[in-house]
Amino acid sequence: MSEDVNPFESLQEQIDDAAAYLDVGPDVLERLKRPERVLETNLSVELDDGSIELFEAYRSQFNGDRGPYKGGIRYHPNVSRDEVKALSGWMVYKCAVVDIPYGGGKGGIVVDPREYSASELERLTRSYAKELRPLIGPDKDIPAPDVNTGQREMNWIKDTYETLENTTAPGTITGKALTSGGSEGRVEATGRSVMLTAREAFEYLGKDIAEATVAVQGFGNAGSVAAELIADDLGASVVAVSDSSGAVYDPAGLDVAAAKAHKMETGALTGFDGAESELTNRELLTLDADLVIPAALENAIDEDIAEDVRTDMIVEAANGPLTPDADDVLTDRDVAVFPDVLANAGGVTVSYFEWVQNRQRFNWTEQRVNDELERVITEAFDGLTDAYEARDLPSYRTAAYVVAIQRVAKAADESGVFP
Ligand code: NAD
């Protein structure tokens, strides 16, 4: 894993790579490479012992030409201004790839939530929500969960916003609990789109996923659901999964549900007695599997690891899991990489369905959510592979950005510049 690569520079490089195949003016291109605004704030939070601690926090609104800013909120000690900027840009292009009417945003707090009590995290989240209040709202900017945040934090943010605004506005935030205006299928949505992308990718490349072996790095919301659905719905053999404690491996295939139960019980995958052996995360990423799914954090695969990768296919569940150098190496080595902006777009797509339901005050069934998600992801997959073939593009990532940049640039151009 590379700590040195600046994800914001990676994003800008990806945009430049794709723009080389497009007729986009340099003035428009510059607008598509930088956020419109970034909130940087220091939150004062009272801890349980009565002391006050300051927490650095951000919200980046990257581009709103196609609709309200949309994107998650991350709690992690490595959150930085540039990371949040990059993640907000990826949201713009992700929403454009799957053609949902949103721009992109992202937020983060520099915190290791494991070190704080639930009441401290509630005060931190509500303090952050107070700072966000003027910027967010159902028609402005709609946050969602990301690493280390979930329904609990979304509910606190919704409640803080509604209390301060003296209204009910569930569409202010997505990823809420069902009882607070959440959507059926939202928790599984990211893993489901990873599964759908893998299914389409195998079919497109003329391979049988039911015969495939799969390794998944990262066993949180995105990775564990993807692993489970790929095994249960597609019949593939998930041979390795990992979390920050390490990887567990069984060439005969793991019982993913049992591995999940073990992690729930002990807090870590390692020590799972249903596996044949344990591996390092590097060994997992370089396994000779038919499909590798990075589902942890960005920059997980650097140039060095990319040289040793033995799979033919990567489906990116995490955001930005390859450094640009790793991406180049894998393209040169003909590894088919299906990019994050398509593969993990299920999260934002079902967030969009949640927002639609909140605005209509009408709830959909889980079947309807899953059917609509399948339609969105398969259409986006076809759009991406059509562009890949029609323009003879070097990678599926470039194809995704070509499709997305065209859409955002057109909207930006049609909107013009104020004043
Ligand atoms: P999560 O916190 O639920 O899970 C993250 C997992 O990665 C954990 O199992 C953790 O132990 C593991 N991990 C962390 N560092 C690791 C390392 N060095 N090696 C191996 N495993 C490691 O987070 P999540 O929501 O599943 O998000 C994972 C990725 O997917 C992130 O890049 C996130 O931006 C992206 N993503 C998530 C969603 C969503 O809806 N949850 C949507 C789109 C994209």
Side-chain angles (χ1 to χ4, degrees):
M1 163 155 174
S2 171
E3 305 280 347
D4 308 328
V5 177
N6 179 326
F8 184 54
E9 288 170 13
S10 303
L11 167 78
Q12 295 194 318
E13 211 173 310
Q14 289 162 352
I15 296 170
D16 282 334
D17 283 349
Y21 297 92
L22 287 170
D23 185 20
V24 180
D27 51 336
V28 176
L29 192 60
E30 273 317 300
R31 277 172 62 196
L32 303 186
K33 284 168 62 179
R34 294 156 199 256
E36 289 172 12
R37 65 189 66 79
V38 182
L39 168 77
E40 178 172 348
T41 175
N42 290 288
L43 308 169
S44 301
V45 178
E46 187 178 346
L47 303 186
D48 292 342
D49 66 4
S51 64
I52 306 285
E53 188 167 330
L54 274 186
F55 295 87
E56 224 174 285
Y58 303 93
R59 180 79 186 166
S60 170
Q61 296 180 330
F62 200 95
N63 183 287
D65 285 315
R66 299 183 73 254
Y69 309 100
K70 183 87 189 85
I73 292 169
R74 177 175 294 196
Y75 287 3
H76 197 275
N78 295 344
V79 161
S80 68
R81 192 181 172 96
D82 272 357
E83 183 191 55
V84 171
K85 280 161 59 177
L87 290 164
S88 67
W90 280 318
M91 287 306 299
V92 175
Y93 298 105
K94 188 180 302 181
C95 293
V97 165
V98 289
D99 207 7
I100 56 176
Y102 283 143
K106 203 82 179 191
I109 304 181
V110 183
V111 60
D112 184 346
R114 289 172 304 186
E115 291 175 6
Y116 297 89
S117 69
S119 60
E120 289 169 335
L121 290 173
E122 177 169 357
R123 287 193 291 279
L124 173 66
T125 304
R126 289 186 183 276
S127 166
Y128 182 54
K130 179 178 75 66
E131 290 298 320
L132 289 183
R133 182 178 65 105
L135 299 177
I136 63 174
D139 292 311
K140 293 199 248 178
D141 181 351
I142 307 140
D146 190 65
V147 176
N148 290 329
T149 61
Q151 293 181 343
R152 183 182 68 167
E153 288 74 16
M154 301 307 110
N155 290 353
W156 287 334
I157 293 173
K158 169 181 166 279
D159 182 67
T160 305
Y161 180 88
E162 290 182 336
T163 303
L164 295 173
E165 292 284 331
N166 190 27
T167 188
T168 62
T172 303
I173 195 147
T174 59
K176 303 177 293 292
L178 268 181
T179 40
S180 294
S183 175
E184 296 285 357
R186 173 63 184 86
V187 174
E188 301 81 21
T190 303
R192 184 171 290 278
S193 68
V194 173
M195 178 274 284
L196 291 167
T197 303
R199 186 190 75 186
E200 296 300 299
F202 270 76
E203 198 181 319
Y204 177 71
L205 295 172
K207 298 178 178 186
D208 183 3
I209 195 155
E211 296 294 318
T213 51
V214 183
V216 183
Q217 182 212 28
F219 204 60
N221 176 268
S224 67
V225 175
E228 218 165 5
L229 291 176
I230 284 173
D232 294 351
D233 290 13
L234 305 180
S237 175
V238 175
V239 293
V241 293
S242 72
D243 63 10
S244 45
S245 72
V248 292
Y249 173 61
D250 197 323
L254 295 161
D255 178 340
V256 180
K260 211 168 173 176
H262 172 82
K263 183 169 163 79
M264 286 282 280
E265 205 177 298
T266 66
L269 271 172
T270 43
F272 173 53
D273 59 11
E276 187 199 78
S277 57
E278 298 194 353
L279 304 174
T280 64
N281 263 291
R282 187 191 173 97
E283 286 167 335
L284 177 144
L285 292 169
T286 55
L287 261 186
D288 189 10
D290 298 308
L291 170 63
V292 170
I293 300 178
L297 293 174
E298 59 267 22
N299 298 335
I301 301 181
D302 60 16
E303 191 179 0
D304 187 40
I305 297 176
E307 297 284 3
D308 290 342
V309 157
R310 281 184 289 166
T311 187
D312 293 331
M313 194 194 296
I314 291 177
V315 171
E316 296 180 334
N319 285 310
L322 311 189
T323 66
D325 287 343
D327 213 10
D328 291 345
V329 169
L330 294 170
T331 303
D332 286 348
R333 295 188 51 211
D334 277 338
V335 177
V337 176
F338 290 89
D340 48 6
V341 286
L342 168 72
N344 69 27
V348 72
T349 303
V350 176
S351 272
Y352 166 56
F353 299 157
E354 179 176 334
W355 178 78
V356 168
Q357 293 169 72
N358 291 157
R359 310 210 68 170
Q360 295 177 335
R361 307 265 174 181
F362 179 79
N363 295 338
W364 298 0
T365 60
E366 186 176 358
Q367 190 61 49
R368 178 166 178 195
V369 170
N370 291 345
D371 288 349
E372 293 276 0
L373 175 62
E374 182 167 359
R375 179 186 59 76
V376 168
I377 298 297
T378 51
E379 282 180 13
F381 187 94
D382 292 345
L384 185 155
T385 45
D386 285 351
Y388 176 77
E389 288 172 24
R391 292 171 185 260
D392 197 18
L393 296 171
S395 70
Y396 300 110
R397 188 187 317 284
T398 305
Y401 278 89
V402 162
V403 170
I405 290 171
Q406 267 180 317
R407 288 185 179 144
V408 182
K410 190 160 189 285
D413 194 41
E414 286 168 355
S415 301
V417 176
F418 178 86

